[in-house]
Amino acid sequence: MKKSGKLAAVILSAMMLVNGISLPVAFASSSNAYVEVDENYDPFADEETQPKEVDTSKLTFKERLALQKQQEEQKAKQKVTVANVLPGHIYIPKGTMLNVELVKDANSKTHKKNQQVDFKTTDNLIINGVVVIPKDTVGIGYVYEAQKAGGFGRKGVLRIAGKEIKTLNNIAVPLRKGLEGKGKTDGGAVVVAAAVSLVGGLFMKGSNINYPAGTDFQVEVRDNVDLGVTPDELAEAMNPAVPHGQEIVVNVK
């Protein structure tokens, strides 16, 4: 019993060493910022943008007429109003894709869940001939999922989601989607793990994934974003020479 207990302890230690498992430790890092996120929201989940088509083959003539009238009324409302946008205002449509690149390296071995990851745009976002988000604007992303490579061929995983970027007139644009990938398995270790010894399998490691600075990817605008101006006011609002931000008035006696 004593020998088997020692063997179990050795195996457990080896697993912790190879897979990067450690006891919980409280620590603070001044070099890494973390982002507050909704833990229940999946930025990589598919969203339905189009309503499902109704099968009209089993409807009566009266039901078809009612459905047609309902659809026409919905189209009329959509022409007048846009979700989250005041009537007459220009906006960035939901689903707009932005081309971006990483500012710094990111690695599944070193990065942690919710850690902030900065990116910058590689193109101008232009609306009605006006630059709204210039090239090289820095936005905020975060590590949605991270896993180190480990024993038994466990692959490294790193998924970086977009969170927010700002327009020239300082309006926050919420983002989703981003960069995701997995490392490689070491020689099919997961497949053969059952046929090798426990200790031997521990040292069949998968690889971590590394995204170098400059890695290209896309983020998606999460909701319609009201730019707070009419089309006629857009060019002036996005003039980089005009300061934008929080304004206060101080009365001096």
Side-chain angles (χ1 to χ4, degrees), residues 2-3 38 43 54 103 116 131 140 142 163 179 187 238 246:
K2 290 183 180 180
K3 289 184 178 180
D38 179 359
V54 179
V103 174
Q116 181 173 320
V131 175
I140 296 174
Y142 65 98
K163 179 170 174 57
L179 184 60
M238 299 299 165
Q246 183 178 355

Side-chain angles (χ1 to χ4, degrees), residues 3 63 67 131 138 140 199 222:
K3 289 184 178 180
E63 288 172 335
L67 177 61
V131 175
V138 176
I140 296 174
V199 176
R222 182 172 170 177

Side-chain angles (χ1 to χ4, degrees), residues 89-166:
H89 277 193
I90 198 78
Y91 66 99
I92 302 175
K94 176 181 178 179
T96 299
M97 303 302 294
L98 303 180
N99 297 317
V100 300
E101 64 179 25
L102 289 179
V103 174
K104 295 182 179 180
D105 294 357
N107 191 288
S108 60
K109 183 178 181 180
T110 58
H111 279 59
K112 309 295 182 184
K113 184 176 175 63
N114 295 340
Q115 183 175 340
Q116 181 173 320
V117 178
D118 293 340
F119 57 83
K120 63 181 180 179
T121 53
T122 57
D123 296 310
N124 294 322
L125 176 63
I126 302 172
I127 298 179
N128 292 7
V130 177
V131 175
V132 173
I133 301 177
K135 179 182 177 181
D136 294 328
T137 299
V138 176
I140 296 174
Y142 65 98
V143 177
Y144 175 69
E145 181 183 4
Q147 174 181 280
K148 295 180 182 178
F152 291 99
R154 189 181 73 183
K155 304 173 185 178
V157 177
L158 185 60
R159 302 170 80 193
I160 297 172
K163 179 170 174 57
E164 183 181 281
I165 196 167
K166 290 192 175 182

Side-chain angles (χ1 to χ4, degrees), residues 1 16 43 62 105 250:
M1 291 294 291
M16 293 172 68
K62 186 176 180 180
D105 294 357
V250 178

Side-chain angles (χ1 to χ4, degrees), residues 246-252:
Q246 183 178 355
E247 182 178 351
I248 61 173
V249 176
V250 178
N251 293 318
V252 180

